[in-house]
Amino acid sequence: MLNKKIKSALVNCPILYFFAKKIYRSTKSLMNKSVENEALRRELLTLELDRPKQLKRFSPQASMIEITNACNLNCLMCNTKLSKRPVGYMSPEVFEEIIIQLQSIGINSADLHTVGEPFMHNHLNLLLEVAQRNSFGIGLSTNGQFPQRIRKTYYKFPKLATRFNFSIDGATRETYENIRRGASFKKLLESLEAVREINNGFRDFRVDVSITSILNLSNMFEIPQYFKTFSRYCRKQNINFNLINGLSLDDSYFKDTFPWKNIIHSTVPCHMPFRFVYFTYDGQATLCCRDYEGELIVGNLHNESLQDIWDSHNAETIRGMHMGTEEMKINSCASCFEPIPFVSMVVNKYIHRLYGHSPEMDPKEFGNSVACFLDEMDNAIRENDLPRLKTGIMERLELS
């Protein structure tokens, strides 16, 4: 009871809440660093290159909601404009139905993103009113081209719109606008400044901000500039780099900009159908986070409960395809490839460690260090030399 009263008092006093949160995060970060390193050491000891067998959870563990599949951009790694699925927008009624079903199985928050840009929805406020009325948490993932809508959304829903993730794939105007076709680097900075204004010039004062970048040869040689440009808006540890994958209607950009072929493998068996559920704008449940063409749709909440959909014959058939007990007939799954997830995670950790040690390193030298690390792992995997792979990772991350 006392803790609740203290938290309530802090929330009603933003300055005190900000500094209390800052002290808590700093303390937690120091405590977690050694714990994370030890967990990573243990994971390395049991690391195998084969994709693990997947086990179906009793019910979905998390969800994401596509409130629209409309996007203002046509980024090289997404190619959303190639999708043949009709463009549509989720109604408040469908949104509420999804929320109620998610809450019935213990899921009380979701990001409003799979395919499409959430701020393209002209009635986003109506959806957020539904979420607020149902005490349902939301996260907003955006390409950062809507500074005025970001402002208006926060000031209308200051207790709900508190998590923003910006997808940024270049730290310079030229690279960013080349990858994110149709985007304006100027608009992106305006959107980030809007959040900085909301946060009174601090980071994570009223809203938490994270930045995600898809890493490949197109932007690898400007990594230090990411931290220099964007740490003004969010904490450095919230700037994350994920290796590019082939989860697209056209994977040629992935193939052209990621030459480490031995690190790449098929996503089958994919973990998503066994752990998560996603929703298209018309209330259909799918087992893929980017189901461009609706190939993995397993049911509709208008007709049955979420738990029944999760346990349905359609869902089990898709899981069977991923387990190898059924013939794989889903084109998007059969053609989906990605770097080994463990590699993506350690590369992100290495980038942060390297920048922490050498923030003034020349960007080209920095990029070459990351590329060299990928070369080392690619060669070890090609030769199926697990001891060499593990040793190289431990040395790079200073875990030995």
Side-chain angles (χ1 to χ4, degrees):
M1 180 65 73
L2 182 61
N3 287 339
K4 287 183 179 180
K5 287 182 179 179
I6 292 172
K7 185 174 181 181
S8 177
L10 287 172
V11 169
N12 291 324
C13 183
I15 292 288
L16 282 177
Y17 185 58
F18 168 71
F19 283 108
K21 188 164 65 170
K22 189 173 182 179
I23 292 168
Y24 170 75
R25 280 176 171 162
S26 298
T27 305
K28 187 178 180 182
S29 178
L30 288 171
M31 292 173 64
N32 282 354
K33 190 171 183 180
S34 61
V35 174
E36 287 177 3
N37 286 344
E38 183 56 36
L40 187 53
R41 284 192 198 96
R42 288 198 301 270
E43 192 169 349
L44 275 171
L45 291 174
T46 59
L47 176 64
E48 297 293 340
L49 296 179
D50 294 332
R51 292 190 69 86
K53 291 183 179 180
Q54 300 296 333
L55 295 174
K56 175 193 169 189
R57 303 303 193 267
F58 176 76
S59 60
Q61 304 299 290
S63 182
M64 292 168 66
I65 303 170
E66 172 196 83
I67 60 174
T68 179
N69 62 336
C71 190
N72 53 315
L73 308 181
N74 194 33
C75 304
L76 294 179
M77 61 282 183
C78 296
N79 297 290
T80 54
K81 298 293 190 288
L82 294 176
S83 174
K84 296 180 178 64
R85 191 156 54 98
V87 172
Y89 301 85
M90 185 171 285
S91 70
E93 293 76 20
V94 169
F95 188 59
E96 185 156 36
E97 190 173 16
I98 291 171
I99 284 176
I100 291 170
Q101 287 286 337
L102 287 173
Q103 288 178 322
S104 73
I105 60 169
I107 297 176
N108 295 302
S109 66
D111 286 352
L112 306 187
H113 174 72
T114 60
V115 178
E117 162 62 41
F119 285 102
M120 287 286 286
H121 199 302
N122 288 329
H123 300 293
L124 177 60
N125 284 355
L126 296 180
L127 303 187
L128 297 188
E129 285 173 4
V130 170
Q132 188 165 264
R133 184 169 67 245
N134 287 275
S135 300
F136 188 83
I138 58 99
L140 290 163
S141 183
T142 178
N143 54 42
Q145 297 297 296
F146 301 91
Q148 292 304 322
R149 292 188 188 183
I150 288 172
R151 281 193 187 90
K152 289 178 181 177
T153 299
Y154 171 76
Y155 287 116
K156 187 170 179 63
F157 301 96
K159 293 184 178 179
L160 181 66
T162 58
R163 288 190 295 121
F164 287 84
N165 178 70
F166 288 83
S167 298
I168 304 174
D169 302 302
T172 63
R173 183 188 66 80
E174 182 181 5
T175 301
Y176 174 80
E177 293 182 0
N178 179 59
I179 296 172
R180 295 211 154 243
R181 297 291 170 89
S184 161
F185 194 66
K186 182 173 179 288
K187 280 284 186 188
L188 169 67
L189 294 179
E190 288 175 8
S191 294
L192 290 167
E193 285 294 338
V195 174
R196 182 172 166 81
E197 170 195 300
I198 290 167
N199 278 332
N200 280 14
F202 296 101
R203 290 170 297 184
D204 300 345
F205 178 46
R206 291 191 174 95
V207 300
D208 292 335
V209 179
S210 59
I211 290 172
T212 303
S213 179
I214 301 301
L215 190 67
N216 59 17
L217 287 178
S218 299
N219 54 16
M220 192 172 289
F221 297 96
E222 52 189 51
I223 293 172
Q225 193 61 37
Y226 273 89
F227 293 107
K228 288 180 171 63
T229 301
F230 302 123
S231 61
R232 168 181 171 86
Y233 308 105
C234 75
R235 294 178 295 139
K236 290 183 180 69
Q237 56 264 46
N238 281 350
I239 300 174
N240 291 299
F241 301 87
N242 298 321
L243 298 179
I244 188 171
N245 61 47
L247 192 58
S248 170
L249 291 166
D250 178 1
D251 63 1
S252 56
Y253 179 65
F254 165 54
K255 291 176 179 176
D256 291 344
T257 61
F258 196 83
W260 296 278
K261 305 305 180 187
N262 299 292
I263 286 172
I264 299 168
H265 65 175
S266 169
T267 56
V268 177
C270 179
H271 65 282
M272 293 182 198
F274 299 85
R275 300 183 188 179
F276 307 124
V277 67
Y278 309 90
F279 293 95
T280 58
Y281 64 81
D282 49 358
Q284 298 193 89
T286 173
L287 300 182
C288 178
C289 69
R290 294 188 70 79
D291 195 358
Y292 289 99
E293 305 294 13
E295 293 182 87
L296 283 87
I297 286 173
V298 291
N300 193 309
L301 289 181
H302 302 319
N303 307 320
E304 50 193 330
S305 72
L306 178 53
Q307 190 63 54
D308 286 342
I309 291 173
W310 183 249
D311 296 326
S312 68
H313 172 73
N314 289 342
E316 289 301 318
T317 298
I318 290 175
R319 293 185 189 110
M321 292 181 193
H322 280 263
M323 293 169 66
T325 58
E326 302 266 354
E327 180 186 354
M328 175 54 72
K329 296 179 179 179
I330 305 169
N331 291 332
S332 57
C333 294
S335 61
C336 188
F337 293 84
E338 66 177 0
I340 299 169
F342 185 86
V343 172
S344 193
M345 182 266 287
V346 297
V347 167
N348 185 57
K349 284 184 176 292
Y350 176 65
I351 288 170
H352 282 264
R353 189 204 66 77
L354 186 59
Y355 188 78
H357 280 261
S358 309
E360 300 305 321
M361 183 183 288
D362 175 75
K364 186 174 181 180
E365 183 183 354
F366 198 107
N368 282 332
S369 294
V370 175
C372 184
F373 185 26
L374 284 163
D375 284 340
E376 291 169 5
M377 290 188 285
D378 192 63
N379 290 333
I381 292 169
R382 184 188 69 233
E383 297 171 12
N384 201 27
D385 191 342
L386 263 179
R388 178 177 155 200
L389 176 66
K390 295 176 183 179
T391 300
I393 291 172
M394 292 187 75
E395 288 176 353
R396 290 278 185 173
L397 298 183
E398 297 182 341
L399 296 173
S400 51

